[in-house]
Amino acid sequence: MRLLIIEDEKRLAENIAQALREAGFAVDYAADGITGSHMAVQDIFDAIILDLMLPGKSGKRVLTELRQTKSRTPVLVLTALEGKETIVDLLNSGADDYLAKPFDLGELLARVKALIRRAKGVSSTIIQVADMEIDTVRQTVKRRGQEIDLSPMEYRILQYLSYRPRAIVSKQELLEHLYDFEWEHHSNVIEAHISNLRRKLNLQGTEPLIETLRHRGYRLSEEASS
């Protein structure tokens, strides 16, 4: 999953970005409202963390303009402003959640993960696809009860595909959502990760879960032999 942080406090933004990257997210960063607004409308982020007090363009305006584009990207607002009216105004403007500064990074991570799950139509932290189970909190994968050891990128690819079972996901979509702005530098490694992932998931006596469609992309099957 790829996140955008729009925050002008450099040290805070770096701390948030580090925590998110350690949790397996790709992260991009904008230090002002104008740059952040331009990046936010590109529809390549799975969630946006938005500060309210920004130079150039306020967070409230960034949020309002984003929603005017019909973007459904979940937005978590960081605010130092207090008061019930402020919170109501933010939610009515299209924010999906908020955190008052100062906040706990663990709580921020939990809220971001919950926002992404809801945006993908998943309510539980456990994703079940055919005979495979993905624990998004522990970041573990089991098939028929057998735990499968995946690399961090293999896990991220599988989690992304699991949010879109039976949909064809192109290589470019995977690159855009799993890497930051330098995603083009990684364009030659997706096939290798997919190959390793498919091999690890194919236990003896099971059907392949990941299908490759030539020149179109990859598809995670919801059907498997019992």
Side-chain angles (χ1 to χ4, degrees):
M1 301 299 147
R2 184 174 176 182
L3 307 180
L4 172 62
I5 302 171
I6 310 176
E7 167 64 66
D8 64 327
E9 294 183 46
K10 184 178 179 182
R11 185 171 181 178
L12 176 60
E14 289 176 347
N15 289 339
I16 295 173
Q18 181 179 353
L20 291 170
R21 289 182 177 123
E22 288 175 355
F25 293 99
V27 180
D28 289 296
Y29 163 61
D32 63 80
I34 295 174
T35 305
S37 183
H38 175 72
M39 296 173 69
V41 298
Q42 295 181 44
D43 200 29
I44 55 176
F45 298 100
D46 298 287
I48 296 171
I49 299 170
L50 174 67
D51 185 32
L52 278 188
M53 308 292 284
L54 292 168
K57 185 186 291 187
S58 72
K60 171 74 177 299
R61 187 175 165 195
V62 172
L63 175 63
T64 302
E65 292 179 358
L66 178 67
R67 291 311 183 218
Q68 287 174 346
T69 68
K70 309 300 181 185
S71 171
R72 295 183 178 181
T73 305
V75 176
L76 185 151
V77 170
L78 304 178
T79 175
L81 302 176
E82 297 180 353
K84 183 177 179 181
E85 290 183 359
T86 300
I87 295 168
V88 171
D89 186 42
L90 285 172
L91 296 174
N92 285 338
S93 298
D96 298 273
D97 199 358
Y98 73 95
L99 266 178
K101 296 180 179 179
F103 53 84
D104 179 80
L105 278 176
E107 181 178 358
L108 173 70
L109 280 172
R111 287 177 181 268
V112 167
K113 289 179 180 178
L115 285 180
I116 293 175
R117 284 199 308 270
R118 287 201 293 271
K120 305 295 185 186
V122 177
S123 57
S124 172
T125 58
I126 305 293
I127 303 173
Q128 187 81 38
V129 179
D131 53 5
M132 178 179 65
E133 183 180 285
I134 303 173
D135 186 328
T136 61
V137 174
R138 296 177 56 234
Q139 297 193 354
T140 58
V141 175
K142 292 181 180 178
R143 189 169 188 192
R144 295 188 177 181
Q146 179 176 332
E147 190 156 323
I148 300 172
D149 183 28
L150 300 181
S151 71
M153 183 50 67
E154 290 163 3
Y155 172 83
R156 289 168 62 187
I157 292 172
L158 183 61
Q159 184 185 30
Y160 190 85
L161 293 175
S162 73
Y163 283 134
R164 302 190 60 199
R166 304 187 67 179
I168 299 174
V169 179
S170 70
K171 175 183 172 181
Q172 178 162 333
E173 181 179 340
L174 283 175
L175 287 164
E176 288 179 343
H177 284 265
L178 298 177
Y179 293 95
D180 59 18
F181 68 97
E182 294 184 321
W183 62 266
E184 290 179 327
H185 297 167
H186 304 275
S187 60
N188 294 323
V189 300
I190 284 291
E191 287 91 347
H193 287 308
I194 289 284
S195 176
N196 289 335
L197 185 55
R198 183 185 289 113
R199 175 177 52 79
K200 291 180 179 181
L201 290 175
N202 288 351
L203 303 181
Q204 186 175 7
T206 62
E207 294 291 332
L209 280 174
I210 298 178
E211 180 183 5
T212 299
L213 295 97
R214 189 175 175 81
H215 301 310
R216 298 175 69 190
Y218 307 98
R219 180 165 56 193
L220 186 63
S221 172
E222 285 187 309
E223 299 178 357
S225 61
S226 58

